[in-house]
Amino acid sequence: MGELVRFSLDGEIGVITIDNPPVNALSPGVPEGIGTLIEQACRNDSVRAIVVIGAGRTFIAGADIKEFGKITAGQRPRLTLHPLLNAIENSPKPVVMAIHGTAFGGGLEVAMSGHYRVAAQDAQVGQPEVKLGIIPGAAGTQRLPRLAGVARAVEMCAFGEPVSATVAFADGIVDRIIDGDLLAGAVAFAREIAGIAPPKPSERTGKLGDAAANAPLFASARERARKTKRGWMAPLAAIDAVEAATTLSFAEGCAKEADLFQQCLFSDQSKALIHAFFGERAVNKIPGIPKETSTLPIRRAAVVGAGTMGGGIAMNYANAGIPVVLKETAQEALDRGMATIRRNYANSVKNGRFSQAVMDKRLALITPQLTYDGFENADIIAEAVFEGMALKKEVFAELDKIAKPDAILASNTSTLDIDEIARTTSRPHMVIGHHYFSPANVMRLLEIVRGAETSNEVIATSMALAKKLNKVGVLVGNCRGFAGNRMLGPYGREAQFLVEEGAPVDAVDRALYEFGMAMGPLAMNDLAGLDVGWRIRKEYQHLEKPGLRQPRVADRLCELGRYGQKTGAGYYKYDENRKASPDPEVTAIIEEVAKEQGIVRREIDAGEIVERTIYALVNEGAKILEEGIALRAVDLDIIYLTGYGFPAFRGGPMWYASTVGLAKVHERICSFHGIHGEKWEPAPLLARLAAQGKTFEDFDKEKSA
Ligand code: T1G
């Protein structure tokens, strides 16, 4: 391993280069190396100024997140960068930070301890720590308001989004944008300022404003954090830390920040969010399909079906700059699909997400048509027709005749057997499931369903394509509902049983909303349409085990034409703005169903509602792992975090269960099994891990060992 940090001279300018691939994280040895070389440069009389720069693709991208687990486990002393940052800021010779790539977290904090910052045009700077459930821990909340003002500092520290070099320059975080070679530009800048007494960011107070001006700013930030990051502790802690910068001295503010950082770092929320961070990267690793597996070029796409899903899928390709043909069978349906796409893009322009020019460019990449013209040139064809096996088979048989031999044929089916679909073609090795989540152009999850004969090349191409489409691709096996929807079954079943047993509809939804779910299960069913599940239940009725209790209310509502939001009434009734309110008529229906089933209704508290629904997810997830339908428990967590609105600060269903303790979860499932029968049969894997005192993380580690 080469030197992590090295020194060189460019005339009278000392250059310190950090070289810790892949992202120049502040891993052990890096902060020490920078400190040592700053000291040496200061003692070197031939050095008049110092430039600090990152080798490879980026400046420092932050502390080494892999180290946090060791710190919270007490295996490593706490990370403190203050000595390094003070050494930089107190250097008698000016220090210029040369930023490219992403100066994030500790990277920006190191940069702000410098006297000046210069940046490449396409660089970004940010304090994304809140996304990991922590806050900046090296004076980021203290120096950022001093350089950029309180409003920008609150925005960046509490909500975690980076800013471009242009914005950073306008705000005063960056002193100059360097066109061309960054190092040369930074050295030239260093020569310009070499004789000037180095300005210390910590001593700037001109942008800290005053209490009266800042109060409304902090108040609205707290309100926004409570709404957009419901249940999260770090954003509120970050706001407290920035507020301390405006009311305390720099040293006191740093002490306040350190306390808040420590509280967040040791929280369950941070451990869960760090699990999610690495989990999103772990799901890309497919045993048996090495990183260097060849992938097929995806230059042209085609989509069959311009409904809600097909339109969203076409947008995904256009958003990635891939021309896409969008086919429907009737002009009216095609026009409706294109109108939806235009409306979605127009909303993004209205919200300032991107410009009209970008919208026009993306629209121009979508070719709506009623024929298969051009499908023969497509590198990938996504099928998104009505969720019925007969129609899907018909479409795939047709595609098999038209598509070129190395075209990937990807079905968006959400539950149907991908092998049965593949068998209608002469090329089952080219068939795979690309299961998007509605709205397909918004939800990050892409469930990639491997068929028995799907080739490694098609799988590897699909995983790479997911990244290009800005999705999180998770590979799953072929079974009814694959992984996400298969787990959702028991979750939804329990929610429906609970209302039959006495829990009011809105009490079930509120319990899960307060747990952190984006939406309660019954409200979610109303949004998706109760008729969707009703049709699937009827399609699979013949597979149901006789005598096994089934939820009855949803069917009863559908028989009354209450399909949910789309008909103005489902579990709730909806006003013209689709605002939901509990419906006494539904309560009467539920009581009638309960009576018919001989159910004695009772009071049910929020604790039982959460256990019955979330543990149902976990139990099914354990069965999915046992069957090898999912590769790892973390894959199921990422599926639920990116596709089902599971609260990120709880890490996903399997991580949450491990946090509760698998022995406790298993004990509760056994109790439900005793009361509610065989649907609650504990998964053998869960029983085994519980008995061994293990977690699902242990399971994943053993599997990857
Ligand atoms: N620590 C350790 N590993 C990291 C890392 C980090 N900070 N950032 C990335 N990696 C690994 C990642 O796991 C992957 O590994 C590889 O690098 C490429 O990452 C003191 C306490 C920088 C924008 O939150 O946002 O500083 O899978 O696939 O898409 O106050 O990585 O190859 O084995 O994501 O080009 C704050 C987190 C830390 C930045 C690059 N910093 N990283 O994205 O590549 S806390 C962050 C990112 C902190 C201070 C506090 C992104 C990226 P592998 P990648 P990418």
mmCIF file of all heavy atoms in Angstrom, residues 537-557:
data_model
loop_
_atom_site.group_PDB
_atom_site.id
_atom_site.type_symbol
_atom_site.label_atom_id
_atom_site.label_comp_id
_atom_site.label_asym_id
_atom_site.label_seq_id
_atom_site.Cartn_x
_atom_site.Cartn_y
_atom_site.Cartn_z
ATOM 1 N N ARG A 537 -56.277 -12.252 -5.437
ATOM 2 C CA ARG A 537 -56.828 -13.292 -4.557
ATOM 3 C C ARG A 537 -57.722 -14.239 -5.358
ATOM 4 O O ARG A 537 -57.684 -15.451 -5.197
ATOM 5 C CB ARG A 537 -57.613 -12.659 -3.405
ATOM 6 C CG ARG A 537 -56.758 -12.176 -2.250
ATOM 7 C CD ARG A 537 -57.568 -11.863 -1.014
ATOM 8 N NE ARG A 537 -58.557 -10.799 -1.232
ATOM 9 C CZ ARG A 537 -58.285 -9.504 -1.259
ATOM 10 N NH1 ARG A 537 -57.028 -9.108 -1.124
ATOM 11 N NH2 ARG A 537 -59.239 -8.592 -1.444
ATOM 12 N N LYS A 538 -58.519 -13.661 -6.265
ATOM 13 C CA LYS A 538 -59.442 -14.516 -7.052
ATOM 14 C C LYS A 538 -58.620 -15.422 -7.968
ATOM 15 O O LYS A 538 -58.913 -16.592 -8.132
ATOM 16 C CB LYS A 538 -60.417 -13.634 -7.843
ATOM 17 C CG LYS A 538 -61.498 -13.037 -6.924
ATOM 18 C CD LYS A 538 -62.668 -12.447 -7.696
ATOM 19 C CE LYS A 538 -62.362 -11.056 -8.191
ATOM 20 N NZ LYS A 538 -63.571 -10.368 -8.728
ATOM 21 N N GLU A 539 -57.471 -14.862 -8.506
ATOM 22 C CA GLU A 539 -56.647 -15.664 -9.428
ATOM 23 C C GLU A 539 -56.006 -16.842 -8.687
ATOM 24 O O GLU A 539 -55.796 -17.897 -9.234
ATOM 25 C CB GLU A 539 -55.548 -14.771 -10.049
ATOM 26 C CG GLU A 539 -54.580 -15.505 -10.967
ATOM 27 C CD GLU A 539 -54.119 -14.688 -12.190
ATOM 28 O OE1 GLU A 539 -54.604 -13.560 -12.413
ATOM 29 O OE2 GLU A 539 -53.273 -15.196 -12.931
ATOM 30 N N TYR A 540 -55.725 -16.605 -7.401
ATOM 31 C CA TYR A 540 -55.020 -17.662 -6.646
ATOM 32 C C TYR A 540 -55.955 -18.390 -5.678
ATOM 33 O O TYR A 540 -55.523 -19.163 -4.850
ATOM 34 C CB TYR A 540 -53.856 -17.057 -5.865
ATOM 35 C CG TYR A 540 -52.662 -16.716 -6.731
ATOM 36 C CD1 TYR A 540 -52.416 -15.412 -7.125
ATOM 37 C CD2 TYR A 540 -51.801 -17.704 -7.204
ATOM 38 C CE1 TYR A 540 -51.328 -15.088 -7.928
ATOM 39 C CE2 TYR A 540 -50.701 -17.404 -8.007
ATOM 40 C CZ TYR A 540 -50.477 -16.088 -8.370
ATOM 41 O OH TYR A 540 -49.407 -15.767 -9.165
ATOM 42 N N GLN A 541 -57.270 -18.107 -5.733
ATOM 43 C CA GLN A 541 -58.228 -18.683 -4.761
ATOM 44 C C GLN A 541 -58.032 -20.190 -4.645
ATOM 45 O O GLN A 541 -58.035 -20.761 -3.575
ATOM 46 C CB GLN A 541 -59.672 -18.406 -5.238
ATOM 47 C CG GLN A 541 -60.690 -18.517 -4.134
ATOM 48 C CD GLN A 541 -61.478 -17.208 -4.018
ATOM 49 O OE1 GLN A 541 -61.747 -16.574 -5.035
ATOM 50 N NE2 GLN A 541 -61.802 -16.800 -2.820
ATOM 51 N N HIS A 542 -57.747 -20.813 -5.816
ATOM 52 C CA HIS A 542 -57.680 -22.300 -5.831
ATOM 53 C C HIS A 542 -56.483 -22.810 -5.030
ATOM 54 O O HIS A 542 -56.425 -23.960 -4.646
ATOM 55 C CB HIS A 542 -57.572 -22.781 -7.282
ATOM 56 C CG HIS A 542 -56.348 -22.290 -8.002
ATOM 57 N ND1 HIS A 542 -56.199 -20.961 -8.381
ATOM 58 C CD2 HIS A 542 -55.208 -22.909 -8.378
ATOM 59 C CE1 HIS A 542 -55.030 -20.787 -8.982
ATOM 60 N NE2 HIS A 542 -54.407 -21.960 -8.995
ATOM 61 N N LEU A 543 -55.540 -21.915 -4.733
ATOM 62 C CA LEU A 543 -54.342 -22.381 -3.985
ATOM 63 C C LEU A 543 -54.526 -22.232 -2.474
ATOM 64 O O LEU A 543 -53.718 -22.687 -1.694
ATOM 65 C CB LEU A 543 -53.120 -21.572 -4.425
ATOM 66 C CG LEU A 543 -52.656 -21.738 -5.875
ATOM 67 C CD1 LEU A 543 -51.435 -20.861 -6.155
ATOM 68 C CD2 LEU A 543 -52.326 -23.211 -6.163
ATOM 69 N N GLU A 544 -55.599 -21.547 -2.061
ATOM 70 C CA GLU A 544 -55.774 -21.277 -0.625
ATOM 71 C C GLU A 544 -56.069 -22.565 0.135
ATOM 72 O O GLU A 544 -56.833 -23.405 -0.335
ATOM 73 C CB GLU A 544 -56.930 -20.294 -0.405
ATOM 74 C CG GLU A 544 -56.483 -18.839 -0.464
ATOM 75 C CD GLU A 544 -57.672 -17.904 -0.293
ATOM 76 O OE1 GLU A 544 -58.725 -18.368 0.210
ATOM 77 O OE2 GLU A 544 -57.560 -16.749 -0.697
ATOM 78 N N LYS A 545 -55.467 -22.685 1.290
ATOM 79 C CA LYS A 545 -55.663 -23.893 2.105
ATOM 80 C C LYS A 545 -57.059 -23.823 2.729
ATOM 81 O O LYS A 545 -57.393 -22.834 3.385
ATOM 82 C CB LYS A 545 -54.594 -23.919 3.202
ATOM 83 C CG LYS A 545 -54.273 -25.306 3.703
ATOM 84 C CD LYS A 545 -53.007 -25.289 4.518
ATOM 85 C CE LYS A 545 -52.787 -26.670 5.143
ATOM 86 N NZ LYS A 545 -51.652 -26.668 6.038
ATOM 87 N N PRO A 546 -57.880 -24.842 2.503
ATOM 88 C CA PRO A 546 -59.238 -24.772 3.068
ATOM 89 C C PRO A 546 -59.179 -24.670 4.601
ATOM 90 O O PRO A 546 -58.291 -25.247 5.228
ATOM 91 C CB PRO A 546 -59.883 -26.095 2.627
ATOM 92 C CG PRO A 546 -58.820 -26.936 2.056
ATOM 93 C CD PRO A 546 -57.618 -26.106 1.787
ATOM 94 N N GLY A 547 -60.095 -23.914 5.144
ATOM 95 C CA GLY A 547 -60.212 -23.835 6.615
ATOM 96 C C GLY A 547 -59.267 -22.825 7.226
ATOM 97 O O GLY A 547 -59.355 -22.521 8.413
ATOM 98 N N LEU A 548 -58.366 -22.283 6.391
ATOM 99 C CA LEU A 548 -57.440 -21.303 6.964
ATOM 100 C C LEU A 548 -58.118 -19.930 6.962
ATOM 101 O O LEU A 548 -58.705 -19.527 5.963
ATOM 102 C CB LEU A 548 -56.174 -21.241 6.090
ATOM 103 C CG LEU A 548 -54.858 -21.006 6.801
ATOM 104 C CD1 LEU A 548 -54.667 -21.965 7.952
ATOM 105 C CD2 LEU A 548 -53.710 -21.120 5.806
ATOM 106 N N ARG A 549 -58.065 -19.237 8.099
ATOM 107 C CA ARG A 549 -58.727 -17.929 8.198
ATOM 108 C C ARG A 549 -58.153 -16.964 7.168
ATOM 109 O O ARG A 549 -56.940 -16.839 7.033
ATOM 110 C CB ARG A 549 -58.525 -17.372 9.615
ATOM 111 C CG ARG A 549 -59.192 -16.025 9.836
ATOM 112 C CD ARG A 549 -58.800 -15.431 11.186
ATOM 113 N NE ARG A 549 -59.269 -14.048 11.314
ATOM 114 C CZ ARG A 549 -58.801 -13.187 12.210
ATOM 115 N NH1 ARG A 549 -57.841 -13.581 13.054
ATOM 116 N NH2 ARG A 549 -59.250 -11.953 12.284
ATOM 117 N N GLN A 550 -59.019 -16.298 6.409
ATOM 118 C CA GLN A 550 -58.586 -15.277 5.448
ATOM 119 C C GLN A 550 -59.234 -13.949 5.821
ATOM 120 O O GLN A 550 -60.363 -13.948 6.321
ATOM 121 C CB GLN A 550 -59.053 -15.657 4.016
ATOM 122 C CG GLN A 550 -58.500 -16.964 3.490
ATOM 123 C CD GLN A 550 -56.978 -16.949 3.309
ATOM 124 O OE1 GLN A 550 -56.352 -15.872 3.300
ATOM 125 N NE2 GLN A 550 -56.376 -18.120 3.207
ATOM 126 N N PRO A 551 -58.586 -12.825 5.533
ATOM 127 C CA PRO A 551 -59.241 -11.537 5.789
ATOM 128 C C PRO A 551 -60.452 -11.413 4.854
ATOM 129 O O PRO A 551 -60.383 -11.809 3.700
ATOM 130 C CB PRO A 551 -58.175 -10.509 5.428
ATOM 131 C CG PRO A 551 -56.925 -11.248 5.200
ATOM 132 C CD PRO A 551 -57.253 -12.674 4.954
ATOM 133 N N ARG A 552 -61.530 -10.866 5.384
ATOM 134 C CA ARG A 552 -62.758 -10.819 4.587
ATOM 135 C C ARG A 552 -63.203 -9.393 4.257
ATOM 136 O O ARG A 552 -63.988 -9.194 3.328
ATOM 137 C CB ARG A 552 -63.887 -11.514 5.362
ATOM 138 C CG ARG A 552 -63.689 -13.008 5.507
ATOM 139 C CD ARG A 552 -63.846 -13.729 4.188
ATOM 140 N NE ARG A 552 -63.512 -15.160 4.268
ATOM 141 C CZ ARG A 552 -62.813 -15.785 3.310
ATOM 142 N NH1 ARG A 552 -62.375 -15.106 2.266
ATOM 143 N NH2 ARG A 552 -62.536 -17.088 3.386
ATOM 144 N N VAL A 553 -62.714 -8.425 5.014
ATOM 145 C CA VAL A 553 -63.269 -7.071 4.856
ATOM 146 C C VAL A 553 -62.979 -6.491 3.476
ATOM 147 O O VAL A 553 -63.858 -5.930 2.826
ATOM 148 C CB VAL A 553 -62.708 -6.134 5.967
ATOM 149 C CG1 VAL A 553 -63.112 -4.693 5.700
ATOM 150 C CG2 VAL A 553 -63.189 -6.606 7.333
ATOM 151 N N ALA A 554 -61.748 -6.663 2.985
ATOM 152 C CA ALA A 554 -61.380 -6.058 1.693
ATOM 153 C C ALA A 554 -62.293 -6.574 0.581
ATOM 154 O O ALA A 554 -62.776 -5.799 -0.255
ATOM 155 C CB ALA A 554 -59.922 -6.358 1.380
ATOM 156 N N ASP A 555 -62.547 -7.874 0.588
ATOM 157 C CA ASP A 555 -63.451 -8.425 -0.444
ATOM 158 C C ASP A 555 -64.834 -7.787 -0.329
ATOM 159 O O ASP A 555 -65.439 -7.412 -1.340
ATOM 160 C CB ASP A 555 -63.591 -9.947 -0.270
ATOM 161 C CG ASP A 555 -62.277 -10.676 -0.574
ATOM 162 O OD1 ASP A 555 -61.319 -9.992 -1.023
ATOM 163 O OD2 ASP A 555 -62.192 -11.883 -0.351
ATOM 164 N N ARG A 556 -65.294 -7.661 0.915
ATOM 165 C CA ARG A 556 -66.628 -7.075 1.133
ATOM 166 C C ARG A 556 -66.672 -5.633 0.605
ATOM 167 O O ARG A 556 -67.631 -5.227 -0.048
ATOM 168 C CB ARG A 556 -66.955 -7.110 2.632
ATOM 169 C CG ARG A 556 -68.388 -6.956 3.023
ATOM 170 C CD ARG A 556 -69.296 -8.055 2.505
ATOM 171 N NE ARG A 556 -68.902 -9.418 2.892
ATOM 172 C CZ ARG A 556 -69.240 -9.976 4.061
ATOM 173 N NH1 ARG A 556 -69.922 -9.273 4.946
ATOM 174 N NH2 ARG A 556 -68.891 -11.216 4.353
ATOM 175 N N LEU A 557 -65.605 -4.912 0.851
ATOM 176 C CA LEU A 557 -65.561 -3.516 0.358
ATOM 177 C C LEU A 557 -65.567 -3.508 -1.170
ATOM 178 O O LEU A 557 -66.269 -2.726 -1.798
ATOM 179 C CB LEU A 557 -64.311 -2.811 0.888
ATOM 180 C CG LEU A 557 -64.234 -2.582 2.394
ATOM 181 C CD1 LEU A 557 -62.863 -2.029 2.800
ATOM 182 C CD2 LEU A 557 -65.346 -1.646 2.861
#
